[in-house]
Amino acid sequence: MITAEQSEQLRAWFAGRLPVDVYESLDPITADREEITVVGVIPATESVREFRERTREQRIEVAREAEELYRRKVAWGVRVGDETTLFTHLAVPVMTRLRQSERQVLDTLVAGGVARSRADALAWCVRLVGRNTDSWLTELRDSLDQVGRVRAQGPDVSDTTDSMKSGSE
């Protein structure tokens, strides 16, 4: 998870590297520890397939530079109207420990045909929570951004410890 400020810095970096004819505009960049996802708006007259073919070499070149700089994979996507299409993005395994009651929820989803496996059931639950609590998650992310800004403005702890040492001698 990155702050809004970091997202804007990434957006500016990618906007500065991508040729002007790749996207009409860039959406905010999303990133986590493994992946940076770049989504941009394309004209309604251009298909996703046409876009992928037309921009493949340019996107590969920018992705290589970004992957070396940020040590994360780069995923690409397009938005046409309200529809977003991602391509070549990661599905990262996540380890978790669940109690029996929690495993039973996943097993019920599998038995009911909602998911093929516990992993699919867990991903389904995460998507469901994300969809139904979007405003709450947005507020939480904004709060984390504020915490980051306050931390950055705080005192330098190393200076405080050094002055405390010199005052006690």
Side-chain angles (χ1 to χ4, degrees):
M1 168 128 181
I2 62 172
T3 65
E5 183 180 334
Q6 291 168 326
S7 175
E8 187 51 40
Q9 288 170 350
L10 280 172
R11 187 182 173 290
W13 187 91
F14 277 94
R17 303 284 181 307
L18 287 167
V20 290
D21 65 336
V22 171
Y23 290 116
E24 285 185 339
S25 65
L26 277 177
D27 283 353
I29 305 291
T30 57
D32 62 14
R33 290 181 286 186
E34 294 86 16
E35 181 177 35
I36 298 169
T37 303
V38 181
V39 177
V41 177
I42 63 172
T45 57
E46 185 173 23
S47 74
V48 173
R49 176 184 283 178
E50 291 169 342
F51 170 84
R52 288 184 78 178
E53 291 302 318
R54 177 178 64 81
T55 63
R56 178 171 278 121
E57 293 304 316
Q58 297 160 314
R59 289 181 297 104
I60 287 172
E61 186 177 319
V62 171
R64 284 186 182 137
E65 187 179 348
E67 288 171 3
E68 186 175 319
L69 179 64
Y70 296 109
R71 301 284 185 232
R72 299 174 192 168
K73 289 293 184 187
V74 175
W76 299 94
V78 295
R79 186 168 49 83
V80 180
D82 291 338
E83 189 172 327
T84 299
T85 304
L86 296 178
F87 30 94
T88 321
H89 57 285
L90 299 176
V92 178
V94 178
M95 175 71 159
T96 186
R97 297 182 189 282
L98 300 175
R99 305 238 184 261
Q100 186 179 40
S101 63
E102 296 160 334
R103 293 190 310 269
Q104 286 175 339
V105 170
L106 300 180
D107 292 343
T108 300
L109 293 171
V110 172
V114 173
R116 293 183 309 240
S117 65
R118 283 180 171 177
D120 284 345
L122 186 56
W124 183 87
C125 290
V126 169
R127 284 190 304 273
L128 182 66
V129 168
R131 200 174 304 127
N132 291 318
T133 60
D134 192 42
S135 62
W136 180 81
L137 288 172
T138 299
E139 187 177 337
L140 182 60
R141 287 182 187 112
D142 291 345
S143 296
L144 291 171
D145 287 346
Q146 180 61 25
V147 168
R149 286 190 293 275
V150 170
R151 279 188 186 144
Q153 295 170 357
D156 186 356
V157 178
S158 63
D159 287 347
T160 306
T161 358
D162 290 343
S163 64
M164 287 170 61
K165 285 180 187 174
S166 62
S168 63
E169 294 180 282

